[in-house]
Amino acid sequence: MRPIRLPEPPPPPPGFSGVPDILDGAIRRALVVGNGFAGAENQCIGLVRALGLADRHSVQRVTRPRGGINEWLHWIPVSLHKKINYVVKRVWGDSRFRTTFESNKVMPLSAEKSGLMNVLETDPKQIAVMARESFEKEGPLLVIASGRDTIPVASTIRRLAPENVFVIQILTVGALHQADSATLRSAAFTWHDELAYLPKPLLVVNVGGPTSNCPYGADLAKELIIKLQNVLWSCGSLRISFSRRTPVKVSEMFVREFRANSKVHIWDGEGSNPHMGHLAWADAFVVTADSVSMLSEVCSTGKPVYVAGAERCKWKFADFQNSLQERGAVRAFTGKEDISETWSYPPLNDIAESATQVHEALAKRGWRICT
């Protein structure tokens, strides 16, 4: 059995002695400010984990109205969006705001499964007051935010409690995530019985969904299916997963084409999500280009990553694809590959680099993380 390759754990931060002293200015708690999207919020939680505060953080959220005409208003400020939503619902009722784009329906995934339930709406003034009033007893509050809608909130917290908070707005080449060394080692153990004995090489395919900056539909799905059929001879096993954004018509195309093939397993969204197990046990990946988070995770493994649809991306998503290719972390999926042939690259390690930068910035202020 081919040994699995997992990323090495990040080095300790500069000056870390293993058991930090409990000093005034030691940060013992964190607040994540999210935007309701798992991709953005996982970046914050991944950084919280890397800083050693996984068990001492809470999550609040900046949310927008969704569905129907709201999908065309996501570029305006949240506060104005909510006012327009209120006025339109008062004048025309709820019908204008129901989701009407049937082609954008995705595979069902409950809010409970995605971990996005029962989270408070962010109130920056209340957070600032809490940070000031609890400072002497609890020390500084670390605030970590990700997503465009969270920027005004994070800025307000910093302005109202400048001496009591340390605010981080996540901006990285890739996306921070929770697939660190410890998590993957745990996943390798958890998913051992299901994945360890599959015929090798194991190719994992992650299919996302179209976005405004990486548009595609059934055409890319058909192209990807044909290419997968062409490389299937070189695979011992093939496992396919979909994201919450995958259109139903796309997922159904994969099911129709591969359900009768004994080499292929398609996760139907039921039961435990095998994603972390796939990261730990896969020998290679094929990923659609629309998800920065997904690509950042698979490229943190150092294993071969093939990308489908990168040529359709624009703006910063195109820049991200180019940066991964320049690093040698990804290759375009052509359908001519021999999946048994392996290649490697320096794993994408934004999470460790970001944690180090946070420690250094805190040290300049005379603060430190108390783990």
Side-chain angles (χ1 to χ4, degrees):
M1 181 175 67
R2 183 183 302 181
I4 61 172
R5 288 184 290 146
L6 300 176
E8 292 297 321
F16 180 70
S17 62
V19 183
D21 297 328
I22 303 300
L23 303 172
D24 291 338
I27 293 178
R28 304 175 178 86
R29 56 193 175 141
L31 171 67
V32 168
V33 179
N35 61 358
F37 291 91
E41 294 183 3
N42 281 339
Q43 295 194 65
C44 299
I45 296 173
L47 182 55
V48 165
R49 287 174 53 89
L51 294 171
L53 296 171
D55 297 327
R56 289 175 287 157
H57 79 278
S58 57
V59 180
Q60 294 190 17
R61 182 166 294 128
V62 181
T63 58
R64 288 179 177 268
R66 296 186 187 177
I69 196 174
N70 283 305
E71 306 307 317
W72 299 94
L73 301 177
H74 65 279
W75 290 111
I76 66 176
V78 175
S79 57
L80 178 58
H81 188 172
K82 289 182 176 179
K83 290 177 182 178
I84 294 175
N85 174 64
Y86 175 78
V87 171
V88 173
K89 290 179 71 174
R90 288 293 298 265
V91 175
W92 286 290
D94 292 345
S95 60
R96 291 290 184 96
F97 285 83
R98 292 174 185 159
T99 302
T100 57
F101 306 110
E102 296 299 322
S103 62
N104 289 336
K105 286 183 178 179
V106 299
M107 292 192 73
L109 183 69
S110 70
E112 182 177 4
K113 286 185 180 180
S114 61
L116 303 181
M117 290 182 67
N118 303 322
V119 178
L120 295 174
E121 182 76 13
T122 303
D123 184 336
K125 294 181 180 179
Q126 186 180 57
I127 293 171
V129 170
M130 179 272 292
R132 291 196 302 266
E133 293 181 347
S134 62
F135 182 78
E136 290 189 7
K137 181 179 180 181
E138 300 290 340
L141 174 66
L142 182 65
V143 178
I144 304 178
S146 180
R148 180 174 55 88
D149 288 342
T150 69
I151 294 175
V153 171
S155 299
T156 300
I157 295 171
R158 181 191 289 115
R159 177 174 56 82
L160 295 177
E163 303 301 321
N164 313 105
V165 301
F166 191 88
V167 176
I168 301 168
Q169 189 75 43
I170 293 179
L171 299 168
T172 59
V173 175
L176 306 186
H177 50 78
Q178 301 183 57
D180 56 20
S181 176
T183 300
L184 293 189
R185 291 182 187 281
S186 175
F189 175 80
T190 301
W191 289 91
H192 177 275
D193 291 349
E194 182 168 341
L195 302 179
Y197 303 107
L198 291 177
K200 296 288 188 175
L202 168 58
L203 176 64
V204 167
V205 180
N206 293 320
V207 181
T211 68
S212 58
N213 293 299
C214 291
Y216 66 85
D219 55 338
L220 180 62
K222 291 177 182 177
E223 179 184 315
L224 180 54
I225 287 171
I226 292 173
K227 291 178 179 178
L228 289 173
Q229 290 171 331
N230 289 339
V231 302
L232 195 55
W233 67 271
S234 66
C235 300
S237 307
L238 175 66
R239 290 177 68 96
I240 303 174
S241 294
F242 306 104
S243 78
R244 287 183 294 277
R245 292 184 291 101
T246 307
V248 168
K249 65 179 181 181
V250 169
S251 60
E252 288 178 344
M253 290 173 62
F254 282 87
V255 172
R256 284 196 302 270
E257 292 297 328
F258 292 110
R259 62 186 169 191
N261 194 308
S262 60
K263 275 190 176 183
V264 181
H265 176 273
I266 299 178
W267 184 52
D268 60 5
E270 298 298 323
S272 299
N273 189 330
H275 176 58
M276 289 297 175
H278 286 169
L279 290 178
W281 285 102
D283 295 296
F285 301 91
V286 171
V287 184
T288 55
D290 52 275
S291 175
V292 172
S293 297
M294 188 70 70
L295 280 167
S296 297
E297 287 179 337
V298 296
C299 288
S300 72
T301 67
K303 301 172 185 178
V305 178
Y306 301 98
V307 179
E311 69 283 354
R312 302 169 186 240
C313 294
K314 55 187 179 181
W315 193 42
K316 65 179 182 180
F317 292 85
D319 294 338
F320 177 61
Q321 299 294 337
N322 291 334
S323 71
L324 292 181
Q325 290 190 22
E326 290 171 359
R327 292 177 180 218
V330 303
R331 298 178 183 178
F333 185 49
T334 65
K336 300 177 181 179
E337 292 80 5
D338 180 348
I339 302 303
S340 65
E341 294 181 357
T342 187
W343 46 275
S344 62
Y345 50 89
L348 199 65
N349 202 18
D350 280 343
I351 188 71
E353 295 171 4
S354 296
T356 297
Q357 292 175 10
V358 171
H359 283 291
E360 292 173 349
L362 286 171
K364 291 179 181 178
R365 193 165 175 176
W367 291 353
R368 66 186 302 175
I369 302 290
C370 179
T371 56

